[in-house]
Each structure stands twice: as C-alpha cells, then as structure tokens.
Amino acid sequence: MSTVIPDVASIEDATFAAHVQGLLDVKTKPVGSLGVLEQLAHRLACILGSDAPVLEAPQMVVFAADHGLAARGVSAYPVDVTWQMVENFMAGGAAVSVLARQHGIALNVVDCGVARDFAAREQDPEDKLPKAGQPRLWRRKVAYGTQDCSQGPAMTELECALAIRNGVELVKRLPGNALLLGEMGIGNTSTASLLLSRLCGVSVAEVTGMGTGLDPQGVQRKIAVLQQVLQTHAAVTEPLPVLAAMGGLEVATMVGAVLQAAAERRVIVVDGFITTAAVLVASRLQPAVLQRCVYAHRSGEPGHTLLLQALGARPLLDWQLRLGEGSGAAAAWPLLPAACAILREMASFTSAGVATKAG
C-alpha cells in the first residue's frame, strides 16, 4: 500500500495580505498597538482567505497510541496510563476535557494504537452524533502499540501508511474550519525527540527532557536509549521512513490529519512538543502546511523551543506547559476568535468619526 499524501497548495497572496493589513492599520487605535493580537488576526484572515474571518465548529482531536519503546524506561509513568487517560478524556475529567467544554470545542479522541480495547459506547455508530458537550471516541487502531524502535522499526511501512490514511479520512468527516491538535501516549516525548533529532540534525541530548517527570538520572538513561535508537536507524533519513522507523501510530495519524486539514484550508492549532513534531513531518512532505498553522504555546520541553525555531514559529503563550493532550491548544483557543472579532467588528477611524493622528 502506497502512502497517499494530500496536495497542499500555497496560499500566499501578497495583495490580499496587504489588504488585510490595511484594514487593521485604520482601526481606531495606534498602528500595531494590539501587538500579537493583530498579527494573529492577520494570519487567520490569510489562512481562511477572508477579511471578515469566522471560526466555525472547532474540533479538538486527541490522537492516542502506545509505544514499544516505553518498555525501555523512557517515561516516569507505566503504559497503562495511556488507556486510563483515554477513559478520563471520555469521562470529561482531563484538563483538555475541561478546557474544551469551557470554550465550546468539540472533543474527539482517536484510538490510533492503544494497547487495549475500549468498551462500546452509545455514540459508536459514526452516523450518530454524541450528545452536546460529550466527546466522541473514534476507533482507528492500526496495531496495539508500536514495536520497540531500539530493536527495529516502530512500524511497518504498511502500518505507517494506514495510520496516515486514517488521519486524512478522519478530518474529511469532521465539520468546521479549525483543527486543534492533541495527543496521548506514554513514551511519545521520546518519539518527538527522535523525529526532531533526525529530521533537523540536532543532538538528541539537546532535545530530550523529563517528559512526564523523569529525574535527572532518568533523563540521562532516556538519552542513552534514544542514542541507541538513532544508531539502529542510522541509514534512515527521509521523512516517511523516519516516521515509520522511530515514530508513533498517533503521530502518523496526526500527520495525515494535518495534511488533510491544510489541504482543506482549515486553521491548524498546534499544541506542544509531540504535535509540533507531527507538523514537522507533515511539512517535510508538503511545505505549505506551515502556512495554515497557529502555534498555541512553547512547552517546558527543551526540544520544543528548538523545534519551533526550526519551523520559524512564534507561539502565542509561554507558560511552561508540558501536560500535552491538547491542553495548551485549548487554553490558547479564546485568543483566536478574539483576533477574528477585532478584524471583523472593530471600527475604522472613518466609520467611527474619530480623528487620526495629527500631522
């Protein structure tokens, strides 16, 4: 099975960008005085192709899977936490559940490769919508977790291709024009570190942090394991083979979702280290993906700062968040409709009858 990659065309339009900037500059304020909020408004207008942008039916998607590498002690938590947190998402008790509910964001949880099956739920038939405010569980399991990538490939090429296709097809079924990225998978900060190190040529020691809470000795053990993984796959350098060799099923599914969302010109709200690593892979396949992205925050993971720099990204928040699960994307979300409202609704000097700057 070959991997089908959606085509993502460039949306750069200098004339339209100048038009939007002109609208912002004549609002009833000193030029640029709303700072990053204005920049965000401009970016959202350009992504959506509208000088009166409206964000509709935002979809938070939490991609969940397990990792064979977790058996090497790269996380402070046992692998059972992955399925337990999926249940917590579905019960409404996780941070992302609370924030999504607070901000009216639909919560979707995707079993991409959790090492456990989940009990049937009322809304399992995919033509039956869950009750308002309730999450939906999408069953897209390719395998019961990846293999230990320190011993061989994490996924086969077929598994990787299936996961990417699942992400593409999932986004086709979701409403709205904004996709917020989240993830859950014990061991997946190791995956993000590996992808960043190999695809950007950065030392794994520079990009590896405590993850879910390793002590300094644990971090050193983690670095040693990741160095072994990189040596095992020393000859693998191209994006898709790297993803299959050292990635995760949730990351591969997310890559497909990002590609499809970008092809549909949705706003892609990127959360932390792992979701940004998925965007890195997607952008190596279709560079124009980056034109559709808004980066919610800079996480407490050291690799995330380097990854954001590699992508030329400017995050909205810098709060040392490192929970994952899409919590940072959900926390930053209210800034996006606020920015759109400024562009749509704020008066100009002329329409408000307010004098402009003297001279």
Side-chain angles (χ1 to χ4, degrees), residues 52 74 87 89 154-155 173 220 235 237 275 353:
V74 295
E87 294 287 6
F89 298 146
M155 294 170 267
R173 302 192 62 159
Q220 290 307 308
T237 58
T275 62

Side-chain angles (χ1 to χ4, degrees), residues 39-49 53 55 267 294 336 339-340:
Q39 297 167 22
L40 178 58
H42 188 276
R43 185 165 187 82
L44 294 171
C46 290
I47 293 171
L48 296 174
L55 295 165
V267 175
V294 172
L336 278 70
C340 289

Side-chain angles (χ1 to χ4, degrees), residues 61-244:
V61 185
V62 181
F63 301 84
D66 279 303
H67 295 256
L69 191 65
R72 298 293 307 276
V74 295
S75 173
Y77 282 79
V79 293
D80 278 350
V81 169
T82 302
W83 73 260
Q84 290 166 355
M85 283 303 300
V86 169
E87 294 287 6
N88 195 22
F89 298 146
M90 297 305 297
V96 72
S97 309
V98 173
L99 292 168
R101 194 162 57 239
Q102 173 72 19
H103 300 313
I105 305 167
L107 178 58
N108 302 271
V109 183
V110 189
D111 176 6
C112 310
V114 180
R116 184 183 178 99
D117 288 320
F118 296 98
R121 284 173 163 79
E122 180 185 359
Q123 72 270 26
D124 272 1
E126 293 181 6
D127 60 350
K128 183 176 181 180
L129 294 175
K131 295 177 183 177
Q134 288 188 351
R136 179 186 283 284
L137 178 63
W138 299 84
R139 300 170 190 277
R140 297 294 185 271
K141 194 192 301 287
V142 172
Y144 289 86
T146 54
Q147 299 299 307
D148 178 356
C149 61
S150 68
Q151 305 301 310
M155 294 170 267
T156 65
E157 290 183 6
L158 176 59
E159 288 171 335
C160 188
L162 283 171
I164 291 172
R165 186 186 69 179
N166 283 345
V168 169
E169 294 303 318
L170 175 65
V171 168
K172 289 180 181 179
R173 302 192 62 159
L174 294 176
N177 62 3
L179 183 75
L180 293 82
L181 303 177
E183 44 63 39
M184 180 64 221
I186 294 300
N188 64 9
T189 58
S190 292
T191 293
S193 294
L194 290 165
L195 294 173
L196 170 58
S197 179
R198 179 53 50 87
L199 294 177
C200 294
V202 184
S203 164
V204 76
E206 290 183 63
V207 302
T208 302
M210 68 176 68
T212 50
L214 290 171
D215 60 21
Q217 292 76 25
V219 173
Q220 290 307 308
R221 291 194 302 271
K222 180 179 177 180
I223 291 170
V225 170
L226 300 190
Q227 288 172 332
Q228 179 186 342
V229 174
L230 291 169
Q231 290 167 3
T232 299
H233 305 287
V236 183
T237 58
E238 293 302 310
L240 282 177
V242 168
L243 178 61

Side-chain angles (χ1 to χ4, degrees), residues 8-13 265 288 291-292:
V8 181
S10 174
I11 56 173
E12 286 188 3
D13 183 336
R265 204 163 178 169
Q291 298 170 351
R292 281 78 160 175

